Amino acid sequence: MFFLFFIGIPLIEVMLFITIGKYIGLWNTILIIIITGIIGAILVKSQGVATLKKGLEEIQSNKIPIQSMVQGIAIIIAGAFLLTPGFLTDTLGAILLIPPFRSKIAGFVIEYLKKRSTFKTTFEQHPKNTSETKDEKIYEGKYEEIKKKDKKKKKIFIKIYI
């Protein structure tokens, strides 16, 4: 599958170059490729900075920036597509730069990753609180990440101070 991606995409691009070049000419085809590369680099930079700022705001408000991280990865992929010469890759890159489409794609990726992960959680309260104030309670938690394919378990111990 991965091999077909690297053989199929350039093959389609060459066919599109020949077909479109036949209708609009060689120099117009080359000019379009250069212009889409420049515009793509500008758009990727501006949207990448905006997504980075949004992610930093989420971190400052103690939220996990999963949506921003996936959208940032989509912007990087869009930049790679737009800088790669070709009409198919430019189209794919442009689709990834449209925020509603990128959000939909990021939502699908996040849901897919959620379905592939299974977490088992347990929480216990300490019977004796050794902290200085009586209002502060300590909760301990454990979770295990269970991978179906590998059947490996990752154990992490968490202490939460409230």
Side-chain angles (χ1 to χ4, degrees):
M1 177 72 178
F2 197 66
F3 179 72
L4 291 176
F5 179 76
F6 282 105
I7 297 297
I9 297 292
L11 186 62
I12 293 170
E13 293 290 5
V14 168
M15 291 186 322
L16 286 171
F17 280 140
I18 293 169
T19 305
I20 293 172
K22 185 169 63 173
Y23 289 109
I24 64 172
L26 172 68
W27 294 109
N28 289 334
T29 305
I30 292 172
L31 186 66
I32 288 173
I33 291 168
I34 292 170
I35 289 172
T36 56
I38 293 169
I39 292 172
I42 293 168
L43 288 174
V44 165
K45 180 181 177 185
S46 66
Q47 289 190 13
V49 169
T51 304
L52 180 63
K53 285 181 182 178
K54 182 181 173 190
L56 290 174
E57 288 172 1
E58 290 174 353
I59 289 172
Q60 289 175 348
S61 63
N62 292 329
K63 295 179 183 175
I64 300 173
I66 294 174
Q67 183 79 15
S68 296
M69 288 173 24
V70 173
Q71 286 196 14
I73 293 169
I75 291 171
I76 291 171
I77 293 170
F81 278 154
L82 287 167
L83 292 176
T84 303
F87 293 106
L88 178 64
T89 54
D90 287 347
T91 304
L92 294 174
I95 289 171
L96 284 175
L97 284 182
I98 300 171
F101 289 125
R102 189 174 62 237
S103 295
K104 276 274 198 216
I105 292 169
F108 287 133
V109 169
I110 291 170
E111 286 301 315
Y112 174 75
L113 293 175
K114 283 182 182 178
K115 288 178 184 177
R116 292 207 49 197
S117 299
T118 307
F119 293 98
K120 179 181 173 184
T121 60
T122 59
F123 286 96
E124 302 170 3
Q125 182 177 1
H126 277 278
K128 292 185 178 181
N129 192 356
T130 58
S131 63
E132 294 177 6
T133 63
K134 292 183 180 181
D135 293 335
E136 187 178 337
K137 296 179 181 176
I138 300 174
Y139 292 91
E140 289 184 8
K142 298 177 184 178
Y143 84 88
E144 296 180 19
E145 182 178 352
I146 303 170
K147 294 185 178 181
K148 292 180 183 177
K149 289 182 181 178
D150 301 336
K151 294 191 179 182
K152 293 180 182 177
K153 294 183 180 181
K154 219 189 261 188
K155 293 186 179 183
I156 296 179
F157 184 74
I158 302 171
K159 273 192 180 180
I160 302 172
Y161 295 94
I162 298 175

